[in-house]
Amino acid sequence: MAPGTPEEPAWNKPNARVSAECGVNADVEKHLELGKKLLAAGQLADALSQFHAAVDGDPDNYIAYYRRATVFLAMGKSKAALPDLTKVIELKMDFTAARLQRGHLLLKQGKLDEAEDDFKKVLKSNPSENEEKEAQSQIVKSDEMQRLRSQALDAFESSDYTAAITFLDKILEVCVWDAELRELRAECFIKEGEPRKAISDLKAASKLKNDNTEAFYKISTLYYQLGDHELSLSEVRECLKLDQDHKRCFAHYKQVKKLNKLIESAEELIRDGRYTDATSKYESVMKTEPTVSEYTIRSKERICHCFSKDEKPVEAIRICSEVLQMEPDNVNALKDRAEAYLIEEMYDEAIQDYETAQEHNENDQQIREGLEKAQRLLKQSQKRDYYKILGVKRNAKKQEIIKAYRKLALQWHPDNFQNEEEKKKAEKKFIDIAAAKEVLSDPEMRKKFDDGEDPLDAESQQGGGGNPFHRSWNSWQGFNPFSSGGPFRFKFHFN
């Protein structure tokens, strides 16, 4: 017999007496015998088919109902087993095995009075010794559940939700299929600020009770409060499948759908690199749902990301800092603010943010690489900084770089200075300006520099080699700083 299958009493096995009593014809007998063999072999679906046929062949055969209930229980389908057990008891009032089984199911459903009634009737039906012990044990358990339920309700009414949860935990270990008690515990979890535990109980309740629109509505609203708009939308749709005219579900559905559409649109814009448009969408999200703080935090987190990626460091630092005031351990905001700090050449601050982020997510490769880059840039800033030499931001366009270079090259050209000391200073300055222009106007060299490596510094180049810009002023004689396509042409004469 399959594991977990209730044992059939010896007196209940088919024989000539039982066949005569139940009026079992040959076909029904055949279905019962074949079903029994299949059940013993663990072939539950096939056994169920045989017992269906037996019930159809003889609707008054209590054995057919009992065996079908046995298969349902073995398949974990207690709801289907319960009507069959009830039918068995109607057909044969003194069938203690069926009554004991029904009592167990009713106890699990939390129907304590009905369960206790079954167990007491077992004791009055000339039970076997084992059945008598089992019935007495279950009566004691049922009485204990009654006491705990009363205590739980009193605690709930007194707003002592912690105590109520403790009592309900004990009851639900026994009454595992009691939808109302799970809903009550969910309410306690909500009051205690544990929405995810409440969701778990409500999901169970939505399966235990038919057409439980209220459970789906509550699950949806809890997910919404947690900021999980996608799951909220999914659950409220389940509510509307059961009742398309449900007023609260429909109103909530419209709100969640609108919010979900805005967020999906914003994320698509981010994927396309349209950060300004994405920022606008997330601002609309905050206007659409101003009362749930989770959407404000998540929206600002994504706006912070957009500003950082769009190389708007001042705005990024401001918004990211607002997020971090609300969530100091927000790794995404820490990473995005660190990137903004790098653009602003605030390397110490960037390092601090990356290190904080790494404490919470030490396996994040992006954090590790960002930290290494920030440390290189800090070291580099203590040497020669080509951006500072030209007086441009790290996110400056090539056109800005060329413009700044031309202005400085003209200003610091040594030919403009007569005093020897001033000329020497100008020569050094001019060489630095030319070096900065060469590095920052070349995409490959600029990328190396942005990653913390000076392409003109022999020390930072693997494999050694001389610095190509360690040149004398004489090597720049006749150099025209305005030869990169500008409208002006200058010619300098040197002695």
Side-chain angles (χ1 to χ4, degrees):
M1 188 171 288
T5 302
E7 184 180 355
E8 188 173 351
W11 58 267
N12 188 37
K13 295 180 180 178
N15 51 42
R17 181 181 64 79
V18 172
S19 295
E21 179 181 331
C22 298
V24 178
N25 59 39
D27 287 339
V28 171
E29 183 72 27
K30 183 179 177 182
H31 288 308
L32 288 173
E33 285 299 322
L34 183 54
K36 183 179 177 182
K37 290 178 182 178
L38 290 167
L39 176 59
Q43 296 174 252
L44 302 181
D46 293 334
L48 186 61
S49 296
Q50 294 299 321
F51 295 137
H52 279 324
V55 169
D56 292 341
D58 186 357
D60 293 326
N61 189 319
Y62 70 89
I63 293 174
Y65 286 106
Y66 182 72
R67 288 192 179 163
R68 188 168 71 175
T70 299
V71 178
F72 280 137
L73 289 172
M75 297 173 80
K77 297 180 178 180
S78 61
K79 281 186 179 180
L82 196 56
D84 275 358
L85 291 171
T86 299
K87 186 69 176 177
V88 172
I89 295 166
E90 288 175 4
L91 293 169
K92 191 168 180 61
M93 297 287 290
D94 61 348
F95 194 166
T96 54
R99 198 176 284 280
L100 202 55
Q101 280 294 327
R102 189 175 73 171
H104 283 142
L105 295 182
L106 291 170
L107 186 61
K108 287 184 176 181
Q109 290 182 344
K111 296 178 180 178
L112 303 179
D113 291 334
E114 294 176 48
E116 192 165 333
D117 183 60
D118 268 344
F119 296 134
K120 286 179 178 178
K121 285 181 178 176
V122 167
L123 295 177
K124 295 177 182 178
S125 303
N126 193 26
S128 67
E129 184 179 348
N130 286 338
E131 288 173 338
E132 183 177 359
K133 285 182 180 178
E134 179 65 17
Q136 288 173 339
S137 169
Q138 294 304 310
I139 289 172
V140 171
K141 187 179 287 185
S142 178
D143 288 341
E144 175 67 8
M145 294 305 105
Q146 292 275 26
R147 184 181 63 81
L148 287 170
R149 174 181 280 186
S150 178
Q151 290 176 314
L153 292 172
D154 287 344
F156 183 81
E157 290 298 322
S158 302
S159 300
D160 189 353
Y161 304 114
T162 303
I165 289 169
T166 301
F167 293 131
L168 290 166
D169 286 345
K170 292 177 182 177
I171 303 171
L172 286 165
E173 287 177 7
V174 176
C175 307
V176 290
W177 300 330
D178 191 323
E180 290 181 0
L181 289 182
R182 288 196 176 274
E183 288 173 342
L184 181 62
R185 189 169 68 173
E187 196 63 33
C188 292
F189 282 136
I190 292 169
K191 298 290 187 181
E192 288 293 290
E194 297 188 81
R196 294 200 179 277
K197 288 184 179 180
I199 287 171
S200 178
D201 268 344
L202 288 167
K203 282 191 171 184
S206 71
K207 295 174 183 175
L208 292 168
K209 189 190 295 184
N210 292 331
D211 300 332
N212 197 343
T213 54
E214 189 64 22
F216 284 116
Y217 173 72
K218 284 186 177 179
I219 294 168
S220 179
T221 56
L222 286 171
Y223 273 132
Y224 186 81
Q225 294 292 326
L226 288 168
D228 201 330
H229 54 96
E230 291 177 335
L231 285 175
S232 178
L233 187 60
S234 173
E235 295 295 334
V236 78
R237 280 174 173 158
E238 292 299 319
C239 174
L240 291 172
K241 283 180 186 177
L242 296 173
D243 181 3
Q244 62 182 3
D245 297 321
H246 194 289
K247 290 183 179 180
R248 286 185 298 163
C249 281
F250 185 67
H252 185 60
Y253 169 74
K254 289 195 293 183
Q255 171 70 1
V256 182
K257 187 179 180 182
K258 181 180 180 181
L259 199 68
N260 190 66
K261 188 175 180 181
L262 282 171
I263 292 171
E264 284 183 347
S265 177
E267 288 302 309
E268 187 176 346
L269 290 167
I270 289 175
R271 287 191 292 272
D272 293 341
R274 295 168 60 188
Y275 300 114
T276 301
D277 293 337
T279 296
S280 178
K281 286 288 183 184
Y282 271 116
E283 286 171 349
S284 296
V285 169
M286 290 189 285
K287 290 176 183 176
T288 301
E289 183 45 85
T291 61
V292 180
S293 61
E294 190 66 24
Y295 293 103
T296 299
I297 296 172
R298 296 286 81 79
S299 295
K300 287 189 174 184
E301 178 188 318
R302 298 306 281 161
I303 291 171
C304 148
H305 178 73
C306 290
F307 281 141
S308 182
K309 290 298 180 186
D310 208 22
E311 297 190 340
K312 295 179 178 178
V314 175
E315 294 90 335
I317 291 168
R318 177 176 58 81
I319 294 293
C320 293
S321 297
E322 287 182 16
V323 175
L324 290 165
Q325 282 180 351
M326 296 180 280
E327 292 184 346
D329 301 333
N330 188 311
V331 172
N332 291 329
L334 285 166
K335 288 195 293 185
D336 287 323
R337 188 171 71 172
E339 288 186 23
Y341 277 142
L342 289 182
I343 296 172
E344 286 291 281
E345 302 173 18
M346 299 168 71
Y347 305 122
D348 288 318
E349 289 84 350
I351 289 169
Q352 185 177 347
D353 273 359
Y354 278 128
E355 286 177 341
T356 304
Q358 196 170 53
E359 289 174 8
H360 300 289
N361 194 346
E362 58 184 20
N363 296 320
D364 190 314
Q365 185 177 352
Q366 187 182 6
I367 294 173
R368 186 167 57 252
E369 291 175 353
L371 178 58
E372 291 171 357
K373 178 180 177 180
Q375 289 168 337
R376 287 196 305 270
L377 288 169
L378 176 62
K379 186 177 179 181
Q380 182 190 83
S381 70
Q382 295 163 352
K383 296 180 180 179
R384 179 166 55 176
D385 188 330
Y386 296 126
Y387 289 104
K388 285 184 177 179
I389 289 170
L390 294 184
V392 296
K393 291 283 188 182
R394 295 191 77 89
N395 59 347
K397 306 296 182 188
K398 185 175 180 179
Q399 185 179 359
E400 296 175 64
I401 290 167
I402 297 299
K403 182 179 178 181
Y405 160 71
R406 288 174 175 169
K407 180 180 177 181
L408 291 169
L410 181 61
Q411 178 184 343
W412 288 98
H413 199 287
D415 216 28
N416 294 335
F417 302 87
Q418 301 302 317
N419 182 280
E420 279 301 315
E421 288 299 320
E422 290 179 350
K423 188 180 287 290
K424 285 182 180 179
K425 180 181 177 182
E427 287 174 0
K428 183 180 182 304
K429 190 79 172 177
F430 188 85
I431 290 171
D432 284 343
I433 292 165
K437 181 260 182 184
E438 177 153 332
V439 170
L440 300 184
S441 61
D442 182 288
E444 188 175 339
M445 294 175 76
R446 183 177 181 179
K447 185 179 185 307
K448 284 185 177 181
F449 186 74
D450 285 344
D451 288 337
E453 177 185 332
D454 188 345
L456 303 183
D457 185 352
E459 291 181 6
S460 68
Q461 298 295 305
Q462 291 186 356
N467 186 336
F469 266 94
H470 284 175
R471 311 176 187 175
S472 67
W473 163 245
N474 291 331
S475 64
W476 293 97
Q477 297 294 314
F479 175 73
N480 185 354
F482 298 94
S483 61
S484 16
F488 307 105
R489 292 290 180 269
F490 291 81
K491 187 173 182 182
F492 293 89
H493 299 278
F494 310 106
N495 295 328

